[in-house]
Short mmCIF file of all heavy atoms in Angstrom, two decimals:
data_model
loop_
_atom_site.label_atom_id
_atom_site.label_comp_id
_atom_site.label_asym_id
_atom_site.label_seq_id
_atom_site.Cartn_x
_atom_site.Cartn_y
_atom_site.Cartn_z
N MET A 1 12.09 31.98 -3.35
CA MET A 1 11.36 30.77 -3.60
C MET A 1 10.65 30.27 -2.31
O MET A 1 11.25 30.21 -1.23
CB MET A 1 12.39 29.64 -4.06
CG MET A 1 11.71 28.28 -4.26
SD MET A 1 12.68 27.17 -5.23
CE MET A 1 13.88 26.67 -4.10
N LYS A 2 9.39 30.08 -2.49
CA LYS A 2 8.57 29.65 -1.35
C LYS A 2 8.38 28.17 -1.29
O LYS A 2 8.10 27.56 -2.31
CB LYS A 2 7.11 30.31 -1.50
CG LYS A 2 6.23 30.04 -0.32
CD LYS A 2 4.97 30.62 -0.47
CE LYS A 2 4.08 30.36 0.73
NZ LYS A 2 2.81 30.97 0.52
N ILE A 3 8.66 27.53 -0.18
CA ILE A 3 8.62 26.14 -0.07
C ILE A 3 7.33 25.78 0.65
O ILE A 3 7.03 26.31 1.70
CB ILE A 3 9.79 25.55 0.73
CG1 ILE A 3 11.08 25.76 0.03
CG2 ILE A 3 9.57 23.97 0.99
CD1 ILE A 3 12.35 25.42 0.83
N LEU A 4 6.46 25.03 0.04
CA LEU A 4 5.17 24.63 0.56
C LEU A 4 5.39 23.53 1.60
O LEU A 4 6.08 22.49 1.28
CB LEU A 4 4.24 24.22 -0.54
CG LEU A 4 3.88 25.30 -1.56
CD1 LEU A 4 3.03 24.74 -2.62
CD2 LEU A 4 3.22 26.47 -0.97
N ALA A 5 4.69 23.60 2.67
CA ALA A 5 4.73 22.53 3.73
C ALA A 5 3.87 21.39 3.10
O ALA A 5 2.84 21.53 2.52
CB ALA A 5 4.12 23.06 4.99
N ARG A 6 4.50 20.21 3.30
CA ARG A 6 3.81 19.02 2.83
C ARG A 6 2.64 18.71 3.82
O ARG A 6 2.98 18.47 5.03
CB ARG A 6 4.75 17.92 2.67
CG ARG A 6 4.17 16.74 1.84
CD ARG A 6 5.32 15.86 1.49
NE ARG A 6 4.84 15.03 0.42
CZ ARG A 6 5.59 14.00 0.00
NH1 ARG A 6 6.76 13.70 0.50
NH2 ARG A 6 5.12 13.29 -1.03
N ARG A 7 1.54 18.52 3.33
CA ARG A 7 0.43 18.16 4.28
C ARG A 7 -0.15 16.80 3.96
O ARG A 7 -0.41 16.47 2.81
CB ARG A 7 -0.78 19.11 4.14
CG ARG A 7 -0.33 20.53 4.52
CD ARG A 7 -1.46 21.41 4.47
NE ARG A 7 -2.14 21.13 5.78
CZ ARG A 7 -3.09 21.90 6.25
NH1 ARG A 7 -3.55 22.97 5.64
NH2 ARG A 7 -3.61 21.59 7.31
N PHE A 8 -0.18 15.87 4.94
CA PHE A 8 -0.72 14.60 4.79
C PHE A 8 -2.19 14.55 5.19
O PHE A 8 -2.46 15.10 6.24
CB PHE A 8 0.05 13.52 5.51
CG PHE A 8 1.48 13.40 5.02
CD1 PHE A 8 2.50 14.04 5.58
CD2 PHE A 8 1.72 12.60 3.88
CE1 PHE A 8 3.84 14.00 5.13
CE2 PHE A 8 3.04 12.50 3.40
CZ PHE A 8 4.14 13.23 4.12
N PRO A 9 -3.08 13.92 4.38
CA PRO A 9 -4.48 13.90 4.80
C PRO A 9 -4.66 13.04 6.06
O PRO A 9 -3.91 12.07 6.33
CB PRO A 9 -5.20 13.26 3.66
CG PRO A 9 -4.15 12.50 2.89
CD PRO A 9 -2.79 13.21 3.17
N GLU A 10 -5.43 13.47 6.91
CA GLU A 10 -5.93 12.73 8.13
C GLU A 10 -6.51 11.40 7.70
O GLU A 10 -7.44 11.45 6.81
CB GLU A 10 -6.77 13.46 9.04
CG GLU A 10 -6.17 14.62 9.65
CD GLU A 10 -5.09 14.20 10.79
OE1 GLU A 10 -5.26 13.29 11.45
OE2 GLU A 10 -3.94 14.85 10.73
N PRO A 11 -6.13 10.27 8.32
CA PRO A 11 -6.89 8.97 7.96
C PRO A 11 -8.29 9.16 8.34
O PRO A 11 -8.58 9.48 9.51
CB PRO A 11 -6.15 7.92 8.69
CG PRO A 11 -5.23 8.61 9.67
CD PRO A 11 -5.11 10.06 9.30
N SER A 12 -9.26 8.83 7.50
CA SER A 12 -10.66 8.96 7.81
C SER A 12 -11.21 7.76 8.55
O SER A 12 -12.29 7.81 9.08
CB SER A 12 -11.50 9.29 6.55
OG SER A 12 -11.19 8.23 5.61
N SER A 13 -10.54 6.71 8.44
CA SER A 13 -10.98 5.51 9.10
C SER A 13 -9.82 4.59 9.48
O SER A 13 -8.69 4.80 8.99
CB SER A 13 -11.98 4.67 8.11
OG SER A 13 -11.33 4.47 6.96
N THR A 14 -10.01 3.56 10.24
CA THR A 14 -8.94 2.70 10.61
C THR A 14 -8.53 1.86 9.54
O THR A 14 -9.29 1.60 8.56
CB THR A 14 -9.41 1.82 11.86
OG1 THR A 14 -10.46 0.95 11.40
CG2 THR A 14 -9.85 2.60 13.03
N PHE A 15 -7.34 1.18 9.71
CA PHE A 15 -6.70 0.32 8.61
C PHE A 15 -7.69 -0.89 8.56
O PHE A 15 -7.97 -1.25 7.43
CB PHE A 15 -5.40 -0.08 9.12
CG PHE A 15 -4.67 -1.04 8.14
CD1 PHE A 15 -4.47 -0.65 6.85
CD2 PHE A 15 -4.31 -2.24 8.58
CE1 PHE A 15 -3.83 -1.54 5.96
CE2 PHE A 15 -3.66 -3.20 7.75
CZ PHE A 15 -3.43 -2.72 6.48
N GLU A 16 -8.13 -1.43 9.67
CA GLU A 16 -9.02 -2.62 9.68
C GLU A 16 -10.34 -2.26 8.88
O GLU A 16 -10.76 -3.12 8.17
CB GLU A 16 -9.34 -3.15 11.06
CG GLU A 16 -8.10 -3.72 11.84
CD GLU A 16 -7.36 -2.57 12.52
OE1 GLU A 16 -7.77 -1.40 12.51
OE2 GLU A 16 -6.31 -2.95 13.05
N TYR A 17 -10.85 -1.09 9.12
CA TYR A 17 -12.09 -0.73 8.52
C TYR A 17 -11.89 -0.68 7.00
O TYR A 17 -12.71 -1.26 6.17
CB TYR A 17 -12.66 0.61 9.05
CG TYR A 17 -13.92 1.00 8.32
CD1 TYR A 17 -15.09 0.52 8.65
CD2 TYR A 17 -13.88 2.03 7.37
CE1 TYR A 17 -16.29 0.97 8.13
CE2 TYR A 17 -15.02 2.40 6.73
CZ TYR A 17 -16.22 1.85 7.10
OH TYR A 17 -17.35 2.33 6.50
N ARG A 18 -10.80 -0.03 6.54
CA ARG A 18 -10.51 -0.02 5.11
C ARG A 18 -10.24 -1.28 4.45
O ARG A 18 -10.71 -1.51 3.35
CB ARG A 18 -9.34 0.99 4.89
CG ARG A 18 -9.63 2.49 5.21
CD ARG A 18 -8.54 3.38 4.78
NE ARG A 18 -7.16 3.05 5.16
CZ ARG A 18 -6.55 3.40 6.21
NH1 ARG A 18 -7.14 4.15 7.10
NH2 ARG A 18 -5.34 3.03 6.35
N LEU A 19 -9.62 -2.21 5.25
CA LEU A 19 -9.50 -3.50 4.70
C LEU A 19 -10.76 -4.24 4.52
O LEU A 19 -11.06 -4.86 3.47
CB LEU A 19 -8.57 -4.40 5.59
CG LEU A 19 -7.10 -4.12 5.56
CD1 LEU A 19 -6.35 -4.95 6.63
CD2 LEU A 19 -6.47 -4.47 4.25
N ALA A 20 -11.67 -4.14 5.50
CA ALA A 20 -12.94 -4.81 5.50
C ALA A 20 -13.79 -4.27 4.32
O ALA A 20 -14.46 -4.99 3.56
CB ALA A 20 -13.75 -4.59 6.73
N GLN A 21 -13.75 -2.84 4.21
CA GLN A 21 -14.43 -2.24 3.03
C GLN A 21 -13.97 -2.75 1.70
O GLN A 21 -14.83 -2.95 0.81
CB GLN A 21 -14.42 -0.77 3.12
CG GLN A 21 -15.22 -0.18 4.26
CD GLN A 21 -16.69 -0.52 4.16
OE1 GLN A 21 -17.08 -1.30 4.99
NE2 GLN A 21 -17.27 0.04 3.20
N GLU A 22 -12.68 -2.83 1.54
CA GLU A 22 -12.16 -3.36 0.24
C GLU A 22 -12.51 -4.77 -0.01
O GLU A 22 -12.83 -5.17 -1.15
CB GLU A 22 -10.63 -3.22 0.25
CG GLU A 22 -9.94 -3.62 -0.96
CD GLU A 22 -10.35 -2.82 -2.31
OE1 GLU A 22 -10.84 -1.70 -2.07
OE2 GLU A 22 -10.17 -3.33 -3.36
N ALA A 23 -12.56 -5.64 1.03
CA ALA A 23 -13.01 -7.05 0.90
C ALA A 23 -14.38 -7.07 0.40
O ALA A 23 -14.75 -7.84 -0.41
CB ALA A 23 -12.75 -7.83 2.19
N LEU A 24 -15.21 -6.25 1.13
CA LEU A 24 -16.72 -6.25 0.71
C LEU A 24 -16.86 -5.71 -0.74
O LEU A 24 -17.62 -6.33 -1.58
CB LEU A 24 -17.42 -5.29 1.61
CG LEU A 24 -17.73 -5.79 3.05
CD1 LEU A 24 -18.37 -4.65 3.82
CD2 LEU A 24 -18.58 -7.04 2.96
N ASN A 25 -16.07 -4.78 -1.13
CA ASN A 25 -16.09 -4.18 -2.56
C ASN A 25 -15.69 -5.26 -3.51
O ASN A 25 -16.40 -5.47 -4.53
CB ASN A 25 -15.24 -2.97 -2.59
CG ASN A 25 -15.21 -2.43 -4.04
OD1 ASN A 25 -16.22 -2.31 -4.66
ND2 ASN A 25 -14.04 -1.86 -4.47
N LEU A 26 -14.70 -6.01 -3.25
CA LEU A 26 -14.22 -7.12 -4.14
C LEU A 26 -15.28 -8.23 -4.18
O LEU A 26 -15.54 -8.73 -5.32
CB LEU A 26 -12.88 -7.65 -3.68
CG LEU A 26 -11.71 -6.73 -3.83
CD1 LEU A 26 -10.54 -7.37 -3.12
CD2 LEU A 26 -11.42 -6.45 -5.28
N ARG A 27 -15.92 -8.53 -3.13
CA ARG A 27 -16.90 -9.59 -3.15
C ARG A 27 -18.13 -9.09 -3.93
O ARG A 27 -18.74 -9.89 -4.70
CB ARG A 27 -17.37 -9.96 -1.70
CG ARG A 27 -16.31 -10.79 -0.98
CD ARG A 27 -16.79 -11.38 0.26
NE ARG A 27 -15.84 -12.26 0.84
CZ ARG A 27 -14.85 -11.91 1.63
NH1 ARG A 27 -14.76 -10.67 2.06
NH2 ARG A 27 -13.96 -12.82 2.08
N GLN A 28 -18.51 -7.80 -3.79
CA GLN A 28 -19.61 -7.32 -4.52
C GLN A 28 -19.33 -7.41 -6.07
O GLN A 28 -20.18 -7.71 -6.88
CB GLN A 28 -19.94 -5.91 -4.13
CG GLN A 28 -21.14 -5.24 -4.88
CD GLN A 28 -22.43 -6.08 -4.54
OE1 GLN A 28 -22.60 -6.54 -3.46
NE2 GLN A 28 -23.25 -6.23 -5.48
N GLN A 29 -18.11 -7.00 -6.39
CA GLN A 29 -17.68 -7.04 -7.82
C GLN A 29 -17.78 -8.51 -8.35
O GLN A 29 -18.27 -8.79 -9.49
CB GLN A 29 -16.29 -6.57 -8.03
CG GLN A 29 -16.10 -5.04 -7.81
CD GLN A 29 -14.67 -4.59 -8.12
OE1 GLN A 29 -14.00 -5.21 -8.81
NE2 GLN A 29 -14.28 -3.68 -7.21
N ALA A 30 -17.29 -9.45 -7.60
CA ALA A 30 -17.29 -10.88 -7.97
C ALA A 30 -18.70 -11.33 -8.12
O ALA A 30 -18.99 -12.22 -9.05
CB ALA A 30 -16.54 -11.72 -6.92
N LYS A 31 -19.58 -10.85 -7.23
CA LYS A 31 -20.98 -11.35 -7.31
C LYS A 31 -21.68 -11.00 -8.65
O LYS A 31 -22.50 -11.71 -9.16
CB LYS A 31 -21.76 -10.72 -6.21
CG LYS A 31 -23.16 -11.22 -5.90
CD LYS A 31 -23.66 -10.40 -4.72
CE LYS A 31 -24.79 -11.06 -4.06
NZ LYS A 31 -25.33 -10.28 -2.94
N GLU A 32 -21.24 -9.90 -9.21
CA GLU A 32 -21.80 -9.35 -10.42
C GLU A 32 -21.18 -9.94 -11.69
O GLU A 32 -21.55 -9.70 -12.76
CB GLU A 32 -21.73 -7.90 -10.52
CG GLU A 32 -22.48 -7.18 -9.44
CD GLU A 32 -22.21 -5.75 -9.21
OE1 GLU A 32 -21.39 -5.20 -9.98
OE2 GLU A 32 -22.77 -5.08 -8.31
N MET A 33 -20.21 -10.85 -11.52
CA MET A 33 -19.43 -11.35 -12.64
C MET A 33 -19.81 -12.87 -12.93
O MET A 33 -20.26 -13.55 -11.95
CB MET A 33 -17.92 -11.33 -12.44
CG MET A 33 -17.38 -9.97 -12.34
SD MET A 33 -15.59 -9.96 -12.18
CE MET A 33 -15.23 -9.85 -13.88
N PRO A 34 -19.79 -13.29 -14.11
CA PRO A 34 -19.96 -14.70 -14.41
C PRO A 34 -18.81 -15.56 -13.89
O PRO A 34 -17.74 -15.07 -13.57
CB PRO A 34 -19.96 -14.82 -15.91
CG PRO A 34 -19.15 -13.56 -16.37
CD PRO A 34 -19.43 -12.60 -15.35
N THR A 35 -19.15 -16.79 -13.61
CA THR A 35 -18.04 -17.74 -13.09
C THR A 35 -16.90 -17.70 -14.09
O THR A 35 -17.07 -17.82 -15.27
CB THR A 35 -18.58 -19.16 -12.97
OG1 THR A 35 -19.72 -19.05 -12.06
CG2 THR A 35 -17.60 -20.05 -12.42
N GLY A 36 -15.67 -17.62 -13.56
CA GLY A 36 -14.49 -17.56 -14.36
C GLY A 36 -13.22 -17.16 -13.53
O GLY A 36 -13.27 -17.11 -12.30
N ILE A 37 -12.15 -17.03 -14.28
CA ILE A 37 -10.85 -16.75 -13.69
C ILE A 37 -10.94 -15.36 -12.88
O ILE A 37 -10.50 -15.25 -11.83
CB ILE A 37 -9.70 -16.75 -14.72
CG1 ILE A 37 -9.58 -18.14 -15.20
CG2 ILE A 37 -8.46 -16.31 -14.14
CD1 ILE A 37 -8.64 -18.27 -16.37
N ARG A 38 -11.55 -14.39 -13.55
CA ARG A 38 -11.44 -13.06 -12.94
C ARG A 38 -12.24 -13.03 -11.66
O ARG A 38 -11.91 -12.41 -10.72
CB ARG A 38 -12.06 -11.96 -13.90
CG ARG A 38 -12.06 -10.69 -13.39
CD ARG A 38 -10.64 -9.96 -13.24
NE ARG A 38 -10.81 -8.68 -12.66
CZ ARG A 38 -10.12 -8.07 -11.72
NH1 ARG A 38 -9.14 -8.88 -11.13
NH2 ARG A 38 -10.25 -6.93 -11.26
N ARG A 39 -13.39 -13.72 -11.72
CA ARG A 39 -14.27 -13.85 -10.39
C ARG A 39 -13.54 -14.54 -9.37
O ARG A 39 -13.50 -14.07 -8.29
CB ARG A 39 -15.55 -14.57 -10.78
CG ARG A 39 -16.54 -14.57 -9.62
CD ARG A 39 -17.82 -15.25 -10.08
NE ARG A 39 -18.79 -15.14 -9.12
CZ ARG A 39 -19.09 -16.18 -8.26
NH1 ARG A 39 -18.55 -17.18 -8.38
NH2 ARG A 39 -20.10 -15.89 -7.33
N SER A 40 -12.82 -15.63 -9.71
CA SER A 40 -12.02 -16.39 -8.79
C SER A 40 -10.92 -15.49 -8.13
O SER A 40 -10.68 -15.55 -7.00
CB SER A 40 -11.45 -17.62 -9.32
OG SER A 40 -12.49 -18.50 -9.77
N GLU A 41 -10.28 -14.70 -9.02
CA GLU A 41 -9.15 -13.85 -8.48
C GLU A 41 -9.71 -12.79 -7.55
O GLU A 41 -9.04 -12.50 -6.58
CB GLU A 41 -8.57 -13.16 -9.72
CG GLU A 41 -7.65 -13.98 -10.64
CD GLU A 41 -7.23 -13.26 -11.84
OE1 GLU A 41 -7.63 -12.17 -12.19
OE2 GLU A 41 -6.33 -13.92 -12.53
N LEU A 42 -10.89 -12.30 -7.85
CA LEU A 42 -11.48 -11.26 -6.94
C LEU A 42 -11.77 -11.89 -5.56
O LEU A 42 -11.50 -11.26 -4.49
CB LEU A 42 -12.77 -10.60 -7.44
CG LEU A 42 -12.53 -9.71 -8.75
CD1 LEU A 42 -13.85 -9.43 -9.32
CD2 LEU A 42 -11.81 -8.46 -8.31
N LEU A 43 -12.32 -13.00 -5.60
CA LEU A 43 -12.73 -13.76 -4.37
C LEU A 43 -11.45 -14.15 -3.55
O LEU A 43 -11.43 -14.07 -2.38
CB LEU A 43 -13.56 -14.95 -4.59
CG LEU A 43 -14.95 -14.69 -5.09
CD1 LEU A 43 -15.65 -15.93 -5.54
CD2 LEU A 43 -15.72 -13.85 -4.14
N ARG A 44 -10.43 -14.52 -4.24
CA ARG A 44 -9.09 -14.90 -3.54
C ARG A 44 -8.51 -13.63 -2.96
O ARG A 44 -8.03 -13.66 -1.83
CB ARG A 44 -8.18 -15.52 -4.61
CG ARG A 44 -6.86 -15.89 -3.96
CD ARG A 44 -6.03 -16.69 -5.02
NE ARG A 44 -5.98 -16.15 -6.29
CZ ARG A 44 -5.00 -15.33 -6.65
NH1 ARG A 44 -3.99 -14.91 -5.89
NH2 ARG A 44 -5.00 -14.82 -7.93
N LYS A 45 -8.55 -12.56 -3.68
CA LYS A 45 -7.98 -11.32 -3.13
C LYS A 45 -8.80 -10.89 -1.86
O LYS A 45 -8.24 -10.43 -0.90
CB LYS A 45 -8.07 -10.24 -4.20
CG LYS A 45 -7.44 -8.95 -3.83
CD LYS A 45 -5.88 -9.07 -3.69
CE LYS A 45 -5.31 -7.77 -3.39
NZ LYS A 45 -3.85 -7.92 -3.10
N ALA A 46 -10.12 -11.03 -1.92
CA ALA A 46 -10.99 -10.72 -0.72
C ALA A 46 -10.52 -11.52 0.46
O ALA A 46 -10.47 -11.02 1.62
CB ALA A 46 -12.46 -10.89 -1.12
N ARG A 47 -10.35 -12.88 0.25
CA ARG A 47 -9.87 -13.70 1.34
C ARG A 47 -8.53 -13.33 1.87
O ARG A 47 -8.26 -13.29 3.05
CB ARG A 47 -9.88 -15.16 0.86
CG ARG A 47 -11.25 -15.74 0.71
CD ARG A 47 -11.21 -17.29 0.55
NE ARG A 47 -10.54 -17.72 -0.64
CZ ARG A 47 -11.08 -17.80 -1.85
NH1 ARG A 47 -12.32 -17.49 -2.01
NH2 ARG A 47 -10.37 -18.23 -2.84
N GLN A 48 -7.60 -12.91 0.94
CA GLN A 48 -6.28 -12.49 1.40
C GLN A 48 -6.36 -11.22 2.24
O GLN A 48 -5.68 -11.12 3.25
CB GLN A 48 -5.39 -12.18 0.16
CG GLN A 48 -4.93 -13.42 -0.55
CD GLN A 48 -4.18 -13.12 -1.88
OE1 GLN A 48 -4.40 -12.01 -2.36
NE2 GLN A 48 -3.42 -14.03 -2.37
N ILE A 49 -7.28 -10.35 1.92
CA ILE A 49 -7.50 -9.11 2.67
C ILE A 49 -8.09 -9.45 4.09
O ILE A 49 -7.71 -8.79 5.02
CB ILE A 49 -8.37 -8.08 1.86
CG1 ILE A 49 -7.60 -7.59 0.73
CG2 ILE A 49 -8.91 -6.99 2.85
CD1 ILE A 49 -8.41 -6.74 -0.27
N ASP A 50 -9.01 -10.44 4.18
CA ASP A 50 -9.54 -10.87 5.35
C ASP A 50 -8.42 -11.43 6.26
O ASP A 50 -8.40 -11.08 7.43
CB ASP A 50 -10.56 -11.93 5.16
CG ASP A 50 -11.88 -11.50 4.61
OD1 ASP A 50 -12.11 -10.23 4.71
OD2 ASP A 50 -12.63 -12.24 4.02
N VAL A 51 -7.63 -12.16 5.73
CA VAL A 51 -6.32 -12.65 6.52
C VAL A 51 -5.47 -11.57 6.93
O VAL A 51 -5.04 -11.54 8.06
CB VAL A 51 -5.62 -13.77 5.63
CG1 VAL A 51 -4.35 -14.19 6.36
CG2 VAL A 51 -6.50 -15.01 5.43
N ALA A 52 -5.29 -10.60 6.06
CA ALA A 52 -4.33 -9.43 6.40
C ALA A 52 -4.96 -8.72 7.58
O ALA A 52 -4.24 -8.27 8.51
CB ALA A 52 -4.22 -8.48 5.23
N GLY A 53 -6.26 -8.57 7.65
CA GLY A 53 -6.96 -7.93 8.75
C GLY A 53 -6.83 -8.71 10.05
O GLY A 53 -6.59 -8.12 11.14
N GLU A 54 -6.90 -9.98 10.00
CA GLU A 54 -6.73 -10.85 11.16
C GLU A 54 -5.33 -10.81 11.74
O GLU A 54 -5.01 -10.66 12.85
CB GLU A 54 -7.05 -12.34 10.88
CG GLU A 54 -8.63 -12.50 10.64
CD GLU A 54 -9.45 -12.13 11.92
OE1 GLU A 54 -9.02 -12.49 12.98
OE2 GLU A 54 -10.41 -11.45 11.67
N VAL A 55 -4.29 -10.81 10.72
CA VAL A 55 -2.93 -10.75 11.18
C VAL A 55 -2.69 -9.35 11.83
O VAL A 55 -1.99 -9.31 12.79
CB VAL A 55 -1.99 -10.96 9.85
CG1 VAL A 55 -0.56 -10.66 10.26
CG2 VAL A 55 -2.12 -12.41 9.39
N ASN A 56 -3.17 -8.27 11.18
CA ASN A 56 -3.00 -6.97 11.81
C ASN A 56 -3.59 -6.86 13.13
O ASN A 56 -2.93 -6.33 14.05
CB ASN A 56 -3.61 -5.97 10.81
CG ASN A 56 -3.29 -4.59 11.27
OD1 ASN A 56 -2.19 -4.19 11.44
ND2 ASN A 56 -4.38 -3.80 11.73
N LYS A 57 -4.77 -7.42 13.36
CA LYS A 57 -5.36 -7.46 14.68
C LYS A 57 -4.46 -8.14 15.70
O LYS A 57 -4.28 -7.71 16.84
CB LYS A 57 -6.77 -8.11 14.61
CG LYS A 57 -7.86 -7.25 14.41
CD LYS A 57 -9.17 -7.82 14.80
CE LYS A 57 -9.76 -8.71 13.74
NZ LYS A 57 -11.10 -9.18 14.02
N TRP A 58 -3.92 -9.26 15.25
CA TRP A 58 -3.07 -10.12 16.18
C TRP A 58 -1.82 -9.30 16.44
O TRP A 58 -1.36 -9.18 17.60
CB TRP A 58 -2.62 -11.41 15.48
CG TRP A 58 -1.78 -12.26 16.31
CD1 TRP A 58 -2.00 -12.91 17.49
CD2 TRP A 58 -0.40 -12.43 16.03
NE1 TRP A 58 -0.86 -13.52 17.95
CE2 TRP A 58 0.13 -13.27 17.07
CE3 TRP A 58 0.50 -12.08 14.94
CZ2 TRP A 58 1.48 -13.68 17.10
CZ3 TRP A 58 1.81 -12.48 14.97
CH2 TRP A 58 2.22 -13.35 16.09
N LEU A 59 -1.21 -8.71 15.45
CA LEU A 59 0.08 -7.98 15.62
C LEU A 59 -0.11 -6.73 16.46
O LEU A 59 0.82 -6.35 17.25
CB LEU A 59 0.67 -7.56 14.32
CG LEU A 59 1.25 -8.75 13.45
CD1 LEU A 59 1.67 -8.26 12.09
CD2 LEU A 59 2.45 -9.38 14.20
N THR A 60 -1.26 -6.07 16.43
CA THR A 60 -1.50 -4.90 17.19
C THR A 60 -2.20 -5.13 18.53
O THR A 60 -2.42 -4.13 19.22
CB THR A 60 -2.30 -3.82 16.34
OG1 THR A 60 -3.55 -4.42 16.00
CG2 THR A 60 -1.52 -3.44 15.14
N SER A 61 -2.44 -6.38 18.88
CA SER A 61 -3.14 -6.74 20.15
C SER A 61 -2.23 -6.41 21.25
O SER A 61 -0.99 -6.61 21.22
CB SER A 61 -3.57 -8.10 20.15
OG SER A 61 -2.53 -8.99 20.25
N PRO A 62 -2.74 -5.83 22.48
CA PRO A 62 -1.86 -5.59 23.59
C PRO A 62 -1.34 -6.85 24.29
O PRO A 62 -0.30 -6.81 24.96
CB PRO A 62 -2.85 -4.88 24.51
CG PRO A 62 -4.23 -5.22 24.11
CD PRO A 62 -4.16 -5.60 22.68
N GLY A 63 -1.99 -7.98 23.96
CA GLY A 63 -1.44 -9.27 24.63
C GLY A 63 -0.33 -9.88 23.94
O GLY A 63 0.19 -10.95 24.29
N LEU A 64 0.06 -9.39 22.70
CA LEU A 64 1.16 -9.98 21.91
C LEU A 64 2.46 -10.03 22.64
O LEU A 64 2.88 -8.98 23.20
CB LEU A 64 1.24 -9.23 20.54
CG LEU A 64 2.33 -9.85 19.59
CD1 LEU A 64 1.85 -11.25 19.18
CD2 LEU A 64 2.46 -8.95 18.41
N LEU A 65 3.08 -11.21 22.73
CA LEU A 65 4.36 -11.34 23.39
C LEU A 65 5.42 -11.47 22.37
O LEU A 65 5.23 -12.10 21.35
CB LEU A 65 4.34 -12.49 24.36
CG LEU A 65 3.25 -12.50 25.40
CD1 LEU A 65 3.27 -13.88 26.22
CD2 LEU A 65 3.54 -11.37 26.41
N ALA A 66 6.53 -10.98 22.62
CA ALA A 66 7.71 -11.11 21.82
C ALA A 66 8.23 -12.52 21.71
O ALA A 66 8.18 -13.22 22.78
CB ALA A 66 8.78 -10.05 22.17
N PRO A 67 8.74 -13.05 20.58
CA PRO A 67 9.25 -14.35 20.62
C PRO A 67 10.50 -14.48 21.49
O PRO A 67 11.30 -13.54 21.64
CB PRO A 67 9.51 -14.61 19.18
CG PRO A 67 9.43 -13.34 18.44
CD PRO A 67 8.73 -12.36 19.45
N LEU A 68 10.64 -15.65 22.08
CA LEU A 68 11.83 -15.86 22.98
C LEU A 68 12.96 -16.37 22.27
O LEU A 68 12.99 -17.04 21.32
CB LEU A 68 11.50 -16.78 24.11
CG LEU A 68 10.32 -16.31 25.00
CD1 LEU A 68 10.00 -17.37 26.07
CD2 LEU A 68 10.79 -15.03 25.76
#
């Protein structure tokens, strides 16, 4: 029995870039929709992704100090 080595794909872009792209994608989808609940949900999700990117930048910054 031959065991295949598991290969993980190399990340093609940074986490921050992928977050930003997803937020842009969601905003584009919302732009094409009529006003309503689904559009509001897409815009809310885009804002949440923006916040996640900011939190990630803060957490990975070299100046971050551990809490005392």
Side-chain angles (χ1 to χ4, degrees):
M1 179 165 72
K2 183 178 180 182
I3 298 176
L4 298 175
R6 194 169 198 187
R7 299 187 78 167
F8 294 98
E10 289 293 318
S12 58
S13 56
T14 65
F15 179 62
E16 291 87 5
Y17 179 79
R18 291 190 312 269
L19 283 175
Q21 288 302 109
E22 182 62 18
L24 286 173
N25 181 36
L26 291 171
R27 284 189 175 91
Q28 184 61 38
Q29 288 179 38
K31 189 180 201 181
E32 298 168 359
M33 298 186 90
T35 303
I37 294 173
R38 179 68 180 137
R39 183 174 190 260
S40 296
E41 288 173 348
L42 290 172
L43 292 172
R44 181 172 45 91
K45 185 68 174 174
R47 285 190 300 272
Q48 288 174 338
I49 290 173
D50 289 338
V51 171
E54 291 298 317
V55 169
N56 185 63
K57 269 198 274 187
W58 177 72
L59 289 173
T60 59
S61 70
L64 182 65
L65 300 175
L68 298 175

